[in-house]
Amino acid sequence: MSFVIIDLKAHRFAMEQNEAITHAQKGIQTMVKEIREASISDAGDYPVSAADSQELIFFADIDKDLAVERVRYYLEGSDLKKGTIEPSGWPVQYSLGDEQIIVLSKYVRNGSDPIFYYYDGLTPSPTSTEPLAAPADVDEVRLIRMYLKINFNPMIAPDNFELDSYAQIRNLKDNL
């Protein structure tokens, strides 16, 4: 009987860990797609507003309604969240009180380690892979690396599952 109980616990953990990883992969795919579309805001703001190690704020038309939204990705506890603000009024404003927040990924175990790494138009290159120091100068950011450590329960093996992806901001591409 104890063998069956241990097997059921292991199976449940594997299913929960797999669900957490799948959810995180979808979150990374969403981030890559939206970051690539960063553009000047409807108020005339630069495409990237803030570039810190655990928070990224930029502008993009993520819902294809011809209005450019303010998008914020940030880590809160072990949740990677996305906040979106639709532009409103004339002149156009992005009211922080109107931010709609969803959870992109749970069980993120980065702790104080960076989620976002920023690169200029020259890196990473064969001779240099060093990111810009965070918080990065938004005028220099051309490429963003997203790095997540996912683990449903860090007290139980296996170790963290690592997800790593890059997104180049198409509207800022200047290396052609």
Side-chain angles (χ1 to χ4, degrees):
M1 190 63 158
S2 62
F3 175 73
V4 171
I5 291 171
I6 291 170
D7 188 49
L8 287 174
K9 286 181 181 179
H11 180 71
R12 188 179 94 219
F13 174 79
M15 295 298 291
E16 290 167 337
Q17 180 79 345
N18 185 52
E19 183 179 331
I21 291 167
T22 301
H23 198 247
Q25 288 171 328
K26 288 178 184 176
I28 287 258
Q29 289 172 348
T30 297
M31 291 190 320
V32 167
K33 180 180 148 204
E34 293 177 354
I35 290 169
R36 285 181 178 158
E37 299 300 323
S39 63
I40 295 172
S41 80
D42 287 348
D45 299 312
Y46 192 73
V48 179
S49 179
D52 209 345
S53 62
Q54 292 195 342
E55 180 180 53
L56 168 63
I57 301 172
F58 64 98
F59 298 94
D61 181 11
I62 61 171
D63 57 7
K64 306 301 180 210
D65 65 353
L66 302 180
V68 176
E69 292 81 23
R70 178 186 183 266
V71 181
R72 175 172 72 119
Y73 296 127
Y74 63 101
L75 185 64
E76 186 175 276
S78 64
D79 291 342
L80 178 63
K81 294 185 175 185
K82 171 183 165 183
T84 307
I85 302 173
E86 292 282 342
S88 62
W90 189 258
V92 173
Q93 296 179 8
Y94 294 89
S95 175
L96 297 180
D98 293 339
E99 186 175 43
Q100 300 295 313
I101 298 172
I102 62 168
V103 175
L104 274 182
S105 180
K106 293 183 176 189
Y107 313 113
V108 177
R109 306 297 180 189
N110 285 55
S112 61
D113 293 342
I115 291 176
F116 301 106
Y117 296 86
Y118 305 95
Y119 300 89
D120 58 23
L122 305 173
T123 57
S125 72
T127 57
S128 174
T129 58
E130 288 298 314
L132 301 169
D137 180 352
V138 296
D139 293 335
E140 294 182 26
V141 174
R142 299 292 182 270
L143 178 71
I144 300 170
R145 175 185 174 213
M146 291 134 295
Y147 174 72
L148 298 178
K149 297 177 192 176
I150 305 298
N151 197 334
F152 176 74
N153 185 346
M155 304 306 287
I156 300 174
D159 287 336
N160 296 330
F161 185 84
E162 298 178 1
L163 292 168
D164 194 11
S165 192
Y166 290 83
Q168 184 167 21
I169 302 172
R170 292 179 180 147
N171 290 323
L172 297 178
K173 193 172 181 177
D174 57 4
N175 60 353
L176 292 177

